[in-house]
Amino acid sequence: MNDWSETEASVREALGSTDDAVVNRIALGDKRGLLFYFSSLAATEQVAAKLTQPLNERLSNGNAFESLESFRSACLGGLPHRYASDIGQAVEFTLQGDAAVVAEGESSILVVQIGGVPTRAIGEPKVQTSIFGPKEGFVESLDINISLVRRRIRNANLRFRSIRLGGGNRAKLSLAYMEGKAEEESLRELLQRVERIHSESTFDTNQLMQQLYGKKKSKLFPVMLNIERPDAAAHYILEGKIALLEDGSPYAVVAPIAFDDFFHFPEDRYMFPAAAKAVLALRYIAFIIALLLPGVYIGLANYNVEILPISLMMAIAGQRTDAPFPSVIELLLVELIFELIWEATTRMPRAVGGALTIVGALVIGQAAVEAGIITNIIIIVVAMRAVTGYVIPYDEMVFLARFLRVAFVLAAAVFGLYGVFLGIAALICYVTNLRSFHDKPYFQSGG
């Protein structure tokens, strides 16, 4: 870089006119230099401690500045560093939280890892909570998340491979896997899918999963798992699966995933085996109830009422006498109200979210029954379905049950219980032929 004025102008142009871009002129002995970084990504005090102070101390001791490499080896020790071949590449590195030094007459640019910007402290998981086991959850810092996984897998075969997404965002990712356990075919396919992503705004692993599905977004069942617990990620990695971490996201994507992985929870590994199996069976039962109960009720009440005991049949018939709507419309109406309450509770501030749940569940429901708009049996069916839905540990399967439940209700409204059984048969055929990742059977045991 011989034309120094042109070099300085190129640096300022590449950084742009933004308030958090810092460009300082520095003296490197008898040479001129530039130090540039983004103060929003690299803490200024860390830049001073790691770069400017060692440089000033070396020059004040009478040591001549020979080259960037001699300065780095003498003063920076084991600090992570790299060299950029041009200004564009150096600016890209500074967007990762590094600081760059340009020296007059040198063709390479020294880039030193700085960081130091405050991030959210490690806390308990907000969604995937548990009674037993560690209480740490992932945060939005990729380096901290890698450390959380490494602390649980102190094995030299644990590998982290950095990748950058294409597109304007250039999000930083890290693939975590055990060398020798993770299948090379799965790793290769995941890398190929990541390399095909070109997105302007991929800020979270939920968005990343949608991009990874690619043309296979039409799959009904989720084939990747989103987790926020480092201990769960460590267990999956030790089983030979691959975890994908993204800078800025407090979750990790795990692949390949089988159907029963969505019913195992990290807490199960800290329980007695018999208790864990009992809880696992309970989750499967809850999923079946959440999926089929509304449809089975419609089939029994509209078509196959003779299957019910006489006392229950008379109770349902008595309630239906003055009902203003058909049972299907009534059920779908209550389901709609419940979904609205659920979404409102999720979006409301925590201080009023609980009160909204009580008002929606008790006041509105009781008033609707007393007004004769809906029947008690419908409230019971929807409440049972709602309670069992919360037993399922992962949201991906909960949302799937919400979608399929409506399909079973409509099938039962047209064909009765035969529609429910046909739907079950079609669903089983679909799942048994589904491939989760690299042609792995989706219905195999996930461990």
Side-chain angles (χ1 to χ4, degrees), residues 1-2 4 31-32 102-108:
M1 299 191 178
N2 299 320
W4 185 247
K31 296 181 179 180
R32 292 174 291 183
V102 183
E104 185 179 11
E106 298 223 10
S107 59
S108 299

Side-chain angles (χ1 to χ4, degrees), residues 16-39:
S17 57
T18 175
D19 291 341
D20 62 337
V22 178
V23 182
N24 292 331
R25 296 174 180 173
I26 56 176
L28 303 174
D30 58 350
K31 296 181 179 180
R32 292 174 291 183
L34 284 177
L35 168 65
F36 60 92
Y37 59 95
F38 288 96
S39 59

Side-chain angles (χ1 to χ4, degrees), residues 58-236:
R58 179 173 175 79
L59 295 177
S60 63
N61 292 333
N63 296 314
F65 180 85
E66 298 177 358
S67 65
L68 287 174
E69 176 57 26
S70 63
F71 161 67
R72 186 208 62 78
S73 59
C75 300
L76 302 186
L79 282 180
H81 73 284
R82 48 192 163 181
Y83 283 94
S85 58
D86 53 47
I87 294 174
Q89 187 180 32
V91 170
E92 184 175 339
F93 290 153
T94 60
L95 289 170
Q96 303 172 26
D98 300 344
V101 179
V102 183
E104 185 179 11
E106 298 223 10
S107 59
S108 299
I109 302 173
L110 175 62
V111 181
V112 179
Q113 182 177 324
I114 301 295
V117 177
T119 59
R120 181 168 65 92
I122 299 173
E124 292 191 31
K126 301 297 183 182
V127 178
Q128 298 168 8
T129 58
S130 65
I131 299 174
F132 306 106
K135 305 300 180 183
E136 292 180 328
F138 285 126
V139 296
E140 286 77 10
S141 171
L142 180 60
D143 292 334
I144 294 177
N145 292 342
I146 291 175
S147 174
L148 289 172
V149 176
R150 174 68 74 178
R151 281 164 49 190
R152 287 164 174 81
I153 308 179
R154 301 180 185 272
N155 191 311
N157 291 324
L158 176 62
R159 300 286 183 264
F160 292 97
R161 183 181 298 186
S162 296
I163 314 171
R164 285 210 166 266
L165 292 181
N169 186 25
R170 302 289 293 166
K172 185 179 181 181
L173 310 177
S174 181
L175 264 71
Y177 61 95
M178 289 293 294
E179 188 173 14
K181 285 190 176 182
E183 295 185 1
E184 290 295 330
E185 295 81 3
S186 298
L187 182 61
R188 192 180 304 111
E189 181 175 343
L190 186 57
L191 285 170
Q192 290 174 353
R193 292 192 188 188
V194 171
E195 290 172 355
R196 287 197 296 264
I197 296 176
H198 292 276
S199 174
E200 297 296 325
S201 58
T202 302
F203 303 116
D204 187 75
T205 52
N206 284 290
Q207 294 176 292
L208 181 63
M209 278 203 305
Q210 298 176 26
Q211 298 289 336
L212 289 174
Y213 281 130
K215 296 181 180 179
K216 300 181 180 180
K217 289 182 181 179
S218 58
K219 283 186 177 179
L220 188 60
F221 281 73
V223 296
M224 298 180 191
L225 184 60
N226 215 18
I227 56 177
E228 63 171 340
R229 295 175 59 98
D231 59 321
H235 281 296
Y236 283 125

